[in-house]
Coordinates of all heavy atoms in Angstrom, one line a residue:
A88 N 15.6 23.9 24.8 CA 15.0 22.8 25.5 C 13.9 22.1 24.8 O 13.6 20.9 25.0 CB 14.4 23.4 26.8
D89 N 13.3 22.7 23.8 CA 12.2 22.1 23.0 C 12.7 21.5 21.7 O 11.9 21.2 20.8 CB 11.1 23.1 22.8 CG 11.5 24.3 21.9 OD1 12.7 24.4 21.7 OD2 10.6 25.0 21.4
A90 N 14.0 21.3 21.5 CA 14.6 20.7 20.3 C 14.0 19.3 20.2 O 13.9 18.5 21.1 CB 16.1 20.7 20.4
Q91 N 13.7 18.9 18.9 CA 13.1 17.6 18.7 C 14.2 16.7 18.1 O 14.7 16.9 17.0 CB 12.0 17.8 17.6 CG 10.9 18.8 18.0 CD 10.3 18.7 19.3 OE1 10.4 17.6 20.0 NE2 9.6 19.7 19.8
I92 N 14.5 15.7 18.9 CA 15.6 14.8 18.6 C 15.2 13.3 18.4 O 14.4 12.8 19.3 CB 16.7 14.8 19.7 CG1 17.3 16.3 19.8 CG2 17.9 13.8 19.4 CD1 18.2 16.5 21.0
V93 N 15.6 12.7 17.3 CA 15.3 11.3 17.1 C 16.7 10.6 17.0 O 17.6 11.0 16.2 CB 14.6 11.1 15.7 CG1 14.5 9.6 15.4 CG2 13.2 11.7 15.8
F94 N 16.9 9.7 17.9 CA 18.2 8.9 17.9 C 18.1 7.7 16.9 O 17.1 7.0 16.9 CB 18.5 8.4 19.3 CG 19.2 9.4 20.1 CD1 18.6 10.1 21.2 CD2 20.5 9.8 19.8 CE1 19.2 11.0 21.9 CE2 21.2 10.8 20.6 CZ 20.5 11.4 21.7
L95 N 19.2 7.5 16.2 CA 19.3 6.4 15.2 C 20.6 5.7 15.5 O 21.6 6.3 15.5 CB 19.3 7.0 13.8 CG 19.5 6.0 12.7 CD1 18.3 5.2 12.5 CD2 19.8 6.8 11.4
S96 N 20.5 4.4 15.8 CA 21.7 3.7 16.2 C 21.6 2.2 15.9 O 20.6 1.6 15.8 CB 22.0 3.9 17.7 OG 23.1 3.2 18.1
Q97 N 22.8 1.6 15.7 CA 22.9 0.2 15.5 C 23.0 -0.5 16.9 O 22.8 -1.7 17.0 CB 24.1 -0.2 14.6 CG 25.4 0.0 15.3 CD 26.6 -0.2 14.4 OE1 26.7 0.5 13.3 NE2 27.4 -1.1 14.7
F98 N 23.3 0.3 17.9 CA 23.4 -0.3 19.2 C 22.1 -0.1 19.9 O 21.5 1.0 20.0 CB 24.5 0.5 20.1 CG 25.9 0.4 19.4 CD1 26.3 1.4 18.6 CD2 26.7 -0.7 19.7 CE1 27.6 1.3 18.0 CE2 27.9 -0.8 19.1 CZ 28.4 0.2 18.3
D99 N 21.6 -1.2 20.5 CA 20.2 -1.2 21.1 C 20.1 -1.8 22.4 O 19.2 -2.4 22.8 CB 19.2 -1.9 20.1 CG 19.5 -3.3 19.9 OD1 20.6 -3.8 20.3 OD2 18.7 -4.0 19.3
Q100 N 21.2 -1.5 23.2 CA 21.1 -2.0 24.6 C 19.9 -1.3 25.4 O 19.7 -0.1 25.1 CB 22.4 -1.7 25.4 CG 23.6 -2.5 24.8 CD 24.4 -1.7 23.8 OE1 23.9 -0.8 23.2 NE2 25.7 -2.0 23.7
D101 N 19.3 -2.0 26.3 CA 18.2 -1.5 27.0 C 18.5 -0.2 27.7 O 17.7 0.8 27.6 CB 17.7 -2.5 28.0 CG 17.0 -3.7 27.4 OD1 16.7 -3.6 26.2 OD2 16.9 -4.7 28.1
A102 N 19.6 -0.1 28.4 CA 20.0 1.1 29.2 C 20.2 2.3 28.3 O 19.9 3.4 28.6 CB 21.2 0.8 30.0

Side-chain angles (χ1 to χ4, degrees):
D89 63 347
Q91 312 300 349
I92 299 173
V93 172
F94 276 107
L95 176 71
S96 180
Q97 69 187 60
F98 300 95
D99 61 352
Q100 295 97 333
D101 291 344

